[in-house]
Amino acid sequence: MFDTLSLASLPPADEAIRPAIRALAATAASAADTDERARSWQGYDPAFSRRLGEAGFLGLTLPKRYGGHERGPFARFVVVEELLGLGAPVAAHWIADRQSAPLILNFGNEAQRQSYLPRIARGEIFFCIGMSEPGSGSDLASVRTRADRTETGWRVNGQKIWTSGAPHCDYMIALLRTSGGPDDRHAGLSQLIIDLKVPGVTIRPIRDLAGDEHFAEVFFEDVDLPADALIGEEGEGWKQVTAELAFERSGPERIYSSVVLLDAWIAHLRGVGRDDAATRALVGDATARLGVLRAMSIACTARLAAGESPVTEASLVKDLGTAFEQQLPVLIGDDLASHPDEAVAADLYRALLYVTHVAPSFSLRGGTREILRGIIARGMGLR
């Protein structure tokens, strides 16, 4: 497997966009405290998303005829790295730009591409994804929410849960059962685009330990959709969603969830003048691991740029990357606690508290550790 994960570099043409996106991200992050910037994934700012669209930083990989910029995955890597590294708010456009647009481009019909993709590239419409269901966790093949054919299209009944950003989104791309039952597993699943403002849709936010309402449960009661809500082929939903998750698992976002906290801690160490050998070793270990993970993520991006779908390699990056993201708040918390005489800024404490609370979710979103390790084992021929 590692023969397919070779070291790669970001092309100079893609590195060249870094100053512009860094400057734009800095405008959004400059007025925020550290704990607010640590919420980059959950930061909802539709005006900032529209500014990204106006500046050409959304829809980077889409064809120009759909409002995109015909850049490759490397350009997107640079943009995401800068946004998360500075802690800019990305929640509004995140799913639409990262997953929904590539899915619609690859599996949608021409009318769907013309309708949705230009608006996504302009930062005008936002999507969420409906996969998890109560009692199913990450076992997506056990989906029970159904879409049944009617004379005019589809009727949806059921429930999704842990849906990121649903209260703020315009549309959901949902994985639904259009034939058979849960025992059929991968067969009979399809993806439909659901307008979240149509009658029969109820969205209830879920408050997490940090007091935020990023997740939601979404109920569907006799929700009527037009025939063209189906995206791709009926019954091919599992194949499509597997490809969609490859977009989600391989990017730099799987290593940078705690990076604002890491930067703030290093700034604290500089501020108090702590430079002993043990501290240098601790910082060196964290930054070296981050460097290795970044290199692996760039190697996955190179596979995507070559037109491949590195499902196994992306799962490996996500598993190792989220483990690193979860270990950072423990490492930093232990370090600060072992130096009780140092004055620590209040926003660093708040950022540490927030990241510590949400860190368990890092290995849940986008596929649990157990699911990923099953994929990795299969990719290595171990199962």
Side-chain angles (χ1 to χ4, degrees):
M1 181 181 70
F2 293 101
D3 291 341
T4 63
L5 199 59
S6 302
L7 287 175
S9 300
L10 296 172
D14 297 310
E15 278 286 7
I17 67 174
R18 192 180 293 277
I21 182 59
R22 179 173 294 181
L24 188 53
T27 63
S30 59
D33 287 338
T34 302
D35 56 313
E36 294 176 276
R37 294 191 296 110
R39 285 171 161 83
S40 182
W41 277 64
Q42 285 77 36
Y44 177 74
D45 187 342
F48 177 65
S49 295
R50 284 193 290 274
R51 288 202 297 275
L52 287 173
E54 291 167 359
F57 291 121
L58 299 183
L60 278 169
T61 61
L62 297 176
K64 291 182 179 178
R65 65 182 181 280
Y66 301 126
H69 305 281
E70 296 187 357
R71 302 293 295 259
F74 285 120
R76 188 182 173 282
F77 186 102
V78 172
V79 169
V80 171
E81 186 169 50
E82 290 299 323
L83 291 173
L84 297 187
L86 290 171
V90 300
H93 66 269
W94 190 246
I95 297 296
D97 185 56
R98 183 175 66 155
Q99 291 172 247
S100 305
L103 181 82
I104 293 169
L105 179 66
N106 290 331
F107 299 107
N109 58 39
E110 186 59 24
Q112 289 169 331
R113 293 173 186 143
Q114 293 285 357
S115 173
Y116 297 111
L117 296 183
R119 290 186 288 163
I120 290 175
R122 293 194 296 267
E124 292 178 353
I125 57 172
F126 307 126
F127 280 70
C128 58
I129 53 176
M131 293 188 185
S132 297
E133 296 189 1
S136 297
S138 288
D139 182 13
L140 299 181
S142 65
V143 162
R144 296 174 182 273
T145 300
R146 296 193 65 88
D148 296 309
R149 281 194 178 276
T150 65
E151 291 184 357
T152 57
W154 303 90
R155 179 164 296 163
V156 180
N157 281 285
Q159 180 187 355
K160 295 291 180 182
I161 196 168
W162 308 120
T163 307
S164 300
H168 302 301
C169 287
D170 304 288
Y171 300 96
M172 170 190 285
I173 295 182
L175 183 68
L176 305 172
R177 188 161 293 286
T178 49
S179 64
D183 292 340
D184 294 310
R185 304 294 292 170
H186 301 163
L189 296 175
S190 304
Q191 288 185 294
L192 277 78
I193 299 177
I194 300 176
D195 184 339
L196 294 177
K197 295 179 178 60
V198 300
V201 177
T202 302
I203 301 173
R204 295 178 183 168
I206 299 172
R207 178 161 294 186
D208 62 25
L209 278 174
D212 298 331
E213 295 182 342
H214 173 61
F215 294 114
E217 52 186 344
V218 184
F219 300 87
F220 305 102
E221 184 176 359
D222 291 335
V223 175
D224 287 319
L225 302 176
D228 62 4
L230 177 70
I231 182 166
E233 298 294 327
E234 183 178 352
E236 293 293 315
W238 181 257
K239 178 181 176 182
Q240 294 173 194
V241 82
T242 301
E244 182 182 359
L245 286 172
F247 305 135
E248 180 181 2
R249 289 172 177 161
S250 59
E253 51 267 44
R254 296 308 178 186
I255 60 178
Y256 286 145
S257 297
S258 304
V259 76
V260 168
L261 175 63
L262 175 62
D263 282 344
W265 173 59
I266 293 174
H268 162 79
L269 296 175
R270 288 184 177 130
V272 299
R274 179 146 55 92
D275 190 31
D276 56 88
T279 301
R280 289 199 302 271
L282 206 56
V283 173
D285 176 70
T287 52
R289 291 168 63 194
L290 178 60
V292 171
L293 288 166
R294 181 176 185 269
M296 294 175 68
S297 184
I298 291 174
C300 265
T301 303
R303 297 282 310 278
L304 291 172
E308 303 172 10
S309 182
V311 174
T312 304
E313 294 83 351
S315 299
L316 184 65
V317 171
K318 182 180 182 297
D319 185 30
L320 296 174
T322 53
F324 171 73
E325 291 175 327
Q326 291 173 331
Q327 290 160 1
L328 271 180
V330 177
L331 178 156
I332 294 170
D334 287 348
D335 176 74
L336 294 177
S338 65
H339 296 82
D341 295 334
E342 290 180 357
V344 178
D347 62 337
L348 173 55
Y349 264 135
R350 291 197 301 270
L352 175 60
L353 180 65
Y354 170 73
V355 177
T356 301
H357 274 154
V358 302
S361 71
F362 296 165
S363 56
L364 297 177
R365 59 193 184 193
T368 65
R369 178 162 290 136
E370 290 74 16
I371 293 291
L372 295 176
R373 292 183 178 179
I375 295 172
I376 295 167
R378 190 178 299 113
M380 297 178 70
L382 300 177
R383 57 177 293 202

